[in-house]
mmCIF file of all heavy atoms in Angstrom:
data_model
loop_
_atom_site.group_PDB
_atom_site.id
_atom_site.type_symbol
_atom_site.label_atom_id
_atom_site.label_comp_id
_atom_site.label_asym_id
_atom_site.label_seq_id
_atom_site.Cartn_x
_atom_site.Cartn_y
_atom_site.Cartn_z
ATOM 1 N N GLU Y 23 90.798 99.910 98.819
ATOM 2 C CA GLU Y 23 89.508 100.621 98.756
ATOM 3 C C GLU Y 23 88.528 99.931 97.806
ATOM 4 O O GLU Y 23 87.317 100.018 97.982
ATOM 5 C CB GLU Y 23 89.729 102.068 98.304
ATOM 6 C CG GLU Y 23 90.286 102.953 99.396
ATOM 7 C CD GLU Y 23 90.792 104.280 98.875
ATOM 8 O OE1 GLU Y 23 90.684 104.536 97.653
ATOM 9 O OE2 GLU Y 23 91.320 105.051 99.691
ATOM 10 N N LEU Y 38 105.744 96.528 107.505
ATOM 11 C CA LEU Y 38 104.668 95.822 106.791
ATOM 12 C C LEU Y 38 103.454 95.634 107.697
ATOM 13 O O LEU Y 38 102.310 95.829 107.277
ATOM 14 C CB LEU Y 38 105.161 94.458 106.305
ATOM 15 C CG LEU Y 38 106.058 94.458 105.065
ATOM 16 C CD1 LEU Y 38 106.646 93.072 104.853
ATOM 17 C CD2 LEU Y 38 105.279 94.898 103.831
ATOM 18 N N THR Y 74 97.859 90.025 103.516
ATOM 19 C CA THR Y 74 98.954 89.168 103.962
ATOM 20 C C THR Y 74 100.259 89.942 103.801
ATOM 21 O O THR Y 74 100.407 90.691 102.829
ATOM 22 C CB THR Y 74 99.022 87.900 103.073
ATOM 23 O OG1 THR Y 74 97.723 87.331 103.007
ATOM 24 C CG2 THR Y 74 100.014 86.890 103.603
ATOM 25 N N PRO Y 77 107.684 89.510 104.399
ATOM 26 C CA PRO Y 77 108.976 90.203 104.407
ATOM 27 C C PRO Y 77 109.894 89.596 103.335
ATOM 28 O O PRO Y 77 110.065 88.377 103.281
ATOM 29 C CB PRO Y 77 109.515 89.939 105.819
ATOM 30 C CG PRO Y 77 108.294 89.620 106.630
ATOM 31 C CD PRO Y 77 107.368 88.894 105.688
ATOM 32 N N ASP Y 79 113.531 90.578 101.132
ATOM 33 C CA ASP Y 79 114.642 91.444 100.738
ATOM 34 C C ASP Y 79 115.042 91.090 99.313
ATOM 35 O O ASP Y 79 115.351 89.929 99.030
ATOM 36 C CB ASP Y 79 115.820 91.252 101.705
ATOM 37 C CG ASP Y 79 116.891 92.314 101.490
ATOM 38 O OD1 ASP Y 79 116.992 92.847 100.360
ATOM 39 O OD2 ASP Y 79 117.631 92.610 102.445
ATOM 40 N N ASP Y 100 95.679 87.937 90.504
ATOM 41 C CA ASP Y 100 95.159 88.813 89.450
ATOM 42 C C ASP Y 100 96.179 89.865 89.032
ATOM 43 O O ASP Y 100 96.050 90.445 87.953
ATOM 44 C CB ASP Y 100 93.873 89.483 89.936
ATOM 45 C CG ASP Y 100 92.798 88.442 90.174
ATOM 46 O OD1 ASP Y 100 92.144 88.023 89.201
ATOM 47 O OD2 ASP Y 100 92.655 87.983 91.327
ATOM 48 N N HIS Y 110 121.018 105.332 93.837
ATOM 49 C CA HIS Y 110 122.134 106.095 94.403
ATOM 50 C C HIS Y 110 122.809 106.786 93.227
ATOM 51 O O HIS Y 110 123.264 106.112 92.302
ATOM 52 C CB HIS Y 110 123.164 105.194 95.103
ATOM 53 C CG HIS Y 110 122.553 104.250 96.093
ATOM 54 N ND1 HIS Y 110 122.065 104.664 97.311
ATOM 55 C CD2 HIS Y 110 122.328 102.929 96.036
ATOM 56 C CE1 HIS Y 110 121.573 103.618 97.959
ATOM 57 N NE2 HIS Y 110 121.714 102.556 97.201
ATOM 58 N N ALA Y 115 132.604 107.187 86.840
ATOM 59 C CA ALA Y 115 133.995 107.163 87.300
ATOM 60 C C ALA Y 115 134.119 106.711 88.752
ATOM 61 O O ALA Y 115 135.176 106.246 89.181
ATOM 62 C CB ALA Y 115 134.628 108.553 87.134
ATOM 63 N N ARG Y 145 99.164 83.052 85.545
ATOM 64 C CA ARG Y 145 98.516 82.396 84.393
ATOM 65 C C ARG Y 145 97.148 81.848 84.795
ATOM 66 O O ARG Y 145 96.191 81.912 84.018
ATOM 67 C CB ARG Y 145 99.395 81.252 83.878
ATOM 68 C CG ARG Y 145 100.644 81.710 83.146
ATOM 69 C CD ARG Y 145 101.405 80.485 82.672
ATOM 70 N NE ARG Y 145 102.703 80.805 82.098
ATOM 71 C CZ ARG Y 145 103.817 80.153 82.377
ATOM 72 N NH1 ARG Y 145 103.813 79.147 83.244
ATOM 73 N NH2 ARG Y 145 104.953 80.505 81.808
ATOM 74 N N VAL Y 151 100.738 92.045 85.110
ATOM 75 C CA VAL Y 151 102.019 92.391 85.732
ATOM 76 C C VAL Y 151 102.316 93.854 85.433
ATOM 77 O O VAL Y 151 102.311 94.260 84.267
ATOM 78 C CB VAL Y 151 103.168 91.506 85.194
ATOM 79 C CG1 VAL Y 151 104.465 91.812 85.948
ATOM 80 C CG2 VAL Y 151 102.818 90.029 85.329
ATOM 81 N N THR Y 157 111.095 107.602 84.299
ATOM 82 C CA THR Y 157 111.521 108.308 83.076
ATOM 83 C C THR Y 157 113.028 108.125 82.874
ATOM 84 O O THR Y 157 113.522 108.279 81.764
ATOM 85 C CB THR Y 157 111.153 109.798 83.143
ATOM 86 O OG1 THR Y 157 111.600 110.334 84.389
ATOM 87 C CG2 THR Y 157 109.648 110.001 83.004
ATOM 88 N N ALA Y 158 113.750 107.744 83.945
ATOM 89 C CA ALA Y 158 115.172 107.397 83.794
ATOM 90 C C ALA Y 158 115.341 106.089 83.026
ATOM 91 O O ALA Y 158 116.454 105.759 82.607
ATOM 92 C CB ALA Y 158 115.838 107.278 85.165
ATOM 93 N N PRO Y 164 123.435 112.193 83.307
ATOM 94 C CA PRO Y 164 124.673 112.051 84.079
ATOM 95 C C PRO Y 164 124.379 111.666 85.527
ATOM 96 O O PRO Y 164 123.440 112.205 86.135
ATOM 97 C CB PRO Y 164 125.311 113.444 83.994
ATOM 98 C CG PRO Y 164 124.719 114.065 82.783
ATOM 99 C CD PRO Y 164 123.338 113.490 82.629
ATOM 100 N N ASP Y 181 108.710 93.981 78.040
ATOM 101 C CA ASP Y 181 108.354 93.784 76.621
ATOM 102 C C ASP Y 181 108.472 92.312 76.219
ATOM 103 O O ASP Y 181 107.625 91.785 75.489
ATOM 104 C CB ASP Y 181 109.246 94.658 75.728
ATOM 105 C CG ASP Y 181 108.894 96.143 75.861
ATOM 106 O OD1 ASP Y 181 107.865 96.459 76.490
ATOM 107 O OD2 ASP Y 181 109.669 96.981 75.356
ATOM 108 N N ARG Y 184 105.534 90.382 77.821
ATOM 109 C CA ARG Y 184 104.257 90.635 77.127
ATOM 110 C C ARG Y 184 104.162 89.763 75.876
ATOM 111 O O ARG Y 184 103.103 89.200 75.559
ATOM 112 C CB ARG Y 184 104.147 92.114 76.774
ATOM 113 C CG ARG Y 184 102.775 92.521 76.263
ATOM 114 C CD ARG Y 184 102.710 94.002 75.923
ATOM 115 N NE ARG Y 184 103.048 94.846 77.042
ATOM 116 C CZ ARG Y 184 104.181 95.558 77.152
ATOM 117 N NH1 ARG Y 184 105.091 95.538 76.184
ATOM 118 N NH2 ARG Y 184 104.412 96.287 78.217
ATOM 119 N N GLU Y 187 103.849 85.794 76.996
ATOM 120 C CA GLU Y 187 102.730 85.312 77.821
ATOM 121 C C GLU Y 187 101.423 85.959 77.360
ATOM 122 O O GLU Y 187 100.926 86.902 78.000
ATOM 123 C CB GLU Y 187 102.991 85.645 79.300
ATOM 124 C CG GLU Y 187 104.223 85.008 79.881
ATOM 125 C CD GLU Y 187 104.055 83.509 80.168
ATOM 126 O OE1 GLU Y 187 102.904 83.049 80.270
ATOM 127 O OE2 GLU Y 187 105.079 82.820 80.283
ATOM 128 N N SER Y 189 98.448 85.197 77.643
ATOM 129 C CA SER Y 189 97.292 85.163 78.554
ATOM 130 C C SER Y 189 97.389 86.253 79.626
ATOM 131 O O SER Y 189 96.428 86.502 80.353
ATOM 132 C CB SER Y 189 97.178 83.793 79.238
ATOM 133 O OG SER Y 189 98.214 83.625 80.185
ATOM 134 N N GLN Y 205 112.567 110.231 96.456
ATOM 135 C CA GLN Y 205 112.826 111.553 95.863
ATOM 136 C C GLN Y 205 113.486 112.484 96.886
ATOM 137 O O GLN Y 205 114.355 113.282 96.540
ATOM 138 C CB GLN Y 205 111.528 112.164 95.334
ATOM 139 C CG GLN Y 205 111.745 113.417 94.506
ATOM 140 C CD GLN Y 205 112.706 113.205 93.348
ATOM 141 O OE1 GLN Y 205 113.679 113.949 93.189
ATOM 142 N NE2 GLN Y 205 112.486 112.189 92.543
ATOM 143 N N PRO Y 215 117.210 121.401 97.960
ATOM 144 C CA PRO Y 215 116.150 121.211 98.967
ATOM 145 C C PRO Y 215 115.011 120.383 98.390
ATOM 146 O O PRO Y 215 114.825 120.342 97.164
ATOM 147 C CB PRO Y 215 115.678 122.638 99.278
ATOM 148 C CG PRO Y 215 116.110 123.454 98.114
ATOM 149 C CD PRO Y 215 117.329 122.795 97.525
ATOM 150 N N GLU Y 218 107.816 118.868 98.574
ATOM 151 C CA GLU Y 218 106.854 117.872 98.102
ATOM 152 C C GLU Y 218 106.018 118.371 96.920
ATOM 153 O O GLU Y 218 105.749 117.641 95.962
ATOM 154 C CB GLU Y 218 105.944 117.529 99.285
ATOM 155 C CG GLU Y 218 105.072 116.330 99.092
ATOM 156 C CD GLU Y 218 104.315 116.028 100.389
ATOM 157 O OE1 GLU Y 218 104.959 115.622 101.363
ATOM 158 O OE2 GLU Y 218 103.089 116.219 100.410
ATOM 159 N N PRO Y 224 102.400 110.557 95.071
ATOM 160 C CA PRO Y 224 102.369 109.098 94.852
ATOM 161 C C PRO Y 224 100.963 108.582 94.570
ATOM 162 O O PRO Y 224 100.781 107.641 93.794
ATOM 163 C CB PRO Y 224 102.952 108.515 96.144
ATOM 164 C CG PRO Y 224 102.974 109.634 97.133
ATOM 165 C CD PRO Y 224 103.005 110.914 96.367
ATOM 166 N N LEU Y 235 95.287 98.765 85.447
ATOM 167 C CA LEU Y 235 94.757 97.477 85.922
ATOM 168 C C LEU Y 235 93.271 97.337 85.587
ATOM 169 O O LEU Y 235 92.786 96.232 85.332
ATOM 170 C CB LEU Y 235 94.932 97.350 87.437
ATOM 171 C CG LEU Y 235 96.344 97.158 87.986
ATOM 172 C CD1 LEU Y 235 96.323 97.191 89.512
ATOM 173 C CD2 LEU Y 235 96.939 95.842 87.508
ATOM 174 N N GLU Y 236 92.554 98.449 85.620
ATOM 175 C CA GLU Y 236 91.100 98.406 85.441
ATOM 176 C C GLU Y 236 90.668 98.609 83.994
ATOM 177 O O GLU Y 236 89.469 98.659 83.712
ATOM 178 C CB GLU Y 236 90.448 99.451 86.358
ATOM 179 C CG GLU Y 236 90.622 99.085 87.838
ATOM 180 C CD GLU Y 236 90.035 100.112 88.795
ATOM 181 O OE1 GLU Y 236 89.797 101.264 88.371
ATOM 182 O OE2 GLU Y 236 89.833 99.750 89.972
#
Side-chain angles (χ1 to χ4, degrees):
E23 284 167 2
L38 283 171
T74 310
D79 191 334
D100 296 278
H110 309 287
R145 288 181 187 135
V151 185
T157 50
D181 289 350
R184 189 180 303 109
E187 299 285 340
S189 71
Q205 190 55 233
E218 192 175 291
L235 289 174
E236 293 178 342

